[in-house]
Amino acid sequence: GAVVSQHPSWVICKSGTSVKIECRSLDFQATTMFWYRQFPKQSLMLMATSNEGSKATYEQGVEKDKFLINHASLTLSTLTVTSAHPEDSSFYICSGEGSTGELFFGEGSRLTVL
Amino acid sequence: KNQVEQSPQSLIILEGKNCTLQCNYTVSPFSNLRWYKQDTGRGPVSLTIMTFSENTKSNGRYTATLDADTKQSSLHITASQLSDSASYICVVRSGGSYIPTFGRGTSLIVHP
């Protein structure tokens, strides 16, 4: 099946710093990519939807200035957590949509903000 | 409002036993339904996809069913293994929206 590479798989940073997470579709072109966050033992929560070459669409309650999403090419989307705080600590996952509509998920990035 | 409800929320079974997970949805118009398996700390992986015309589909020890009339799907796991311990997520796509609707998942624990 198609592969989505996400990195880093885990990151620890100090409060106030920014962290960038990359999501690459390795063997398919993902016109649409989704970004989620997941707290322990909870379901995936959609944060935003990004389409290549256009601005991301954010879900209600997600600060677009806090979580910057860039989808500059059909194979790369990035999520930048700006001025991270401990409450931003979470598991962030991306998924790319294949040509048949199937979602291919990255392995996730565990962010810990100290 | 499109919704996907999964039950049970959590399930504990003994290795070798069978189990069935349920997914009820109100997504309309319906396009397809997928079951994903998510191991702890990993991204979800697709198990099966069900479209409107399909009633049953198997993938190894996993068998998914779909009743489009009652808007229900089930995932049956046969002869469970310790490696089946994971969260199983039901995701429904609408023909009218590109945003999928996720269930909250069923957490399955298989004990030896």
Side-chain angles (χ1 to χ4, degrees):
Chain A
V3 177
V4 172
S5 174
Q6 182 176 346
H7 69 89
S9 56
W10 58 270
V11 57
I12 301 173
C13 69
K14 293 182 179 180
S15 184
T17 61
S18 295
V19 175
K20 178 184 285 188
I21 300 170
E22 288 190 355
C23 185
R24 293 179 184 272
S25 56
L26 298 184
D27 51 0
F28 70 103
Q29 294 183 328
T31 306
T32 302
M33 280 196 174
F34 301 93
W35 285 94
Y36 316 80
R37 66 187 300 181
Q38 185 176 36
F39 293 105
K41 298 185 179 181
Q42 293 192 21
S43 62
L44 293 166
M45 285 176 26
L46 181 65
M47 298 175 65
T49 304
S50 71
N51 290 296
E52 184 264 338
S54 61
K55 291 184 179 180
T57 302
Y58 291 81
E59 294 300 297
Q60 190 173 9
V62 179
E63 300 175 58
K64 61 181 180 181
D65 296 328
K66 173 78 171 176
F67 300 100
L68 300 179
I69 292 174
N70 184 280
H71 193 164
S73 76
L74 288 172
T75 59
L76 174 64
S77 179
T78 61
L79 167 67
T80 301
V81 183
T82 62
S83 186
H85 288 91
E87 58 265 30
D88 297 324
S89 298
S90 188
F91 190 57
Y92 293 88
I93 307 177
C94 65
S95 71
E97 184 174 36
S99 59
T100 61
E102 180 174 356
L103 296 176
F104 299 99
F105 289 84
E107 287 292 326
S109 300
R110 172 81 53 199
L111 171 63
T112 302
V113 185
L114 302 177
Chain B
K1 180 181 178 182
N2 291 337
Q3 288 186 315
V4 175
E5 300 288 340
Q6 289 188 244
S7 62
Q9 183 176 358
S10 61
L11 182 62
I12 300 175
I13 61 174
L14 292 175
E15 185 179 12
K17 298 296 185 182
N18 303 335
C19 67
T20 301
L21 314 180
Q22 299 290 342
C23 173
N24 298 338
Y25 61 92
T26 60
V27 175
S28 182
F30 174 83
S31 177
N32 62 65
L33 180 150
R34 289 182 186 270
W35 284 93
Y36 287 85
K37 177 186 179 187
Q38 184 181 20
D39 292 313
T40 302
R42 308 290 294 274
V45 175
S46 178
L47 293 175
T48 66
I49 178 174
M50 306 292 290
T51 57
F52 186 83
S53 60
E54 296 174 308
N55 298 118
T56 303
K57 184 173 286 187
S58 293
N59 177 6
R61 294 181 297 103
Y62 301 105
T63 299
T65 66
L66 175 67
D67 186 331
D69 292 331
T70 61
K71 298 187 177 181
Q72 296 179 326
S73 176
S74 67
L75 181 69
H76 185 75
I77 304 175
T78 305
S80 61
Q81 300 176 359
L82 298 180
S83 58
D84 292 332
S85 295
S87 178
Y88 291 83
I89 305 169
C90 177
V91 181
V92 184
R93 299 297 292 266
S94 165
S97 170
Y98 60 87
I99 297 178
T101 304
F102 283 75
R104 299 180 69 85
T106 292
S107 175
L108 174 65
I109 298 175
V110 180
H111 277 311

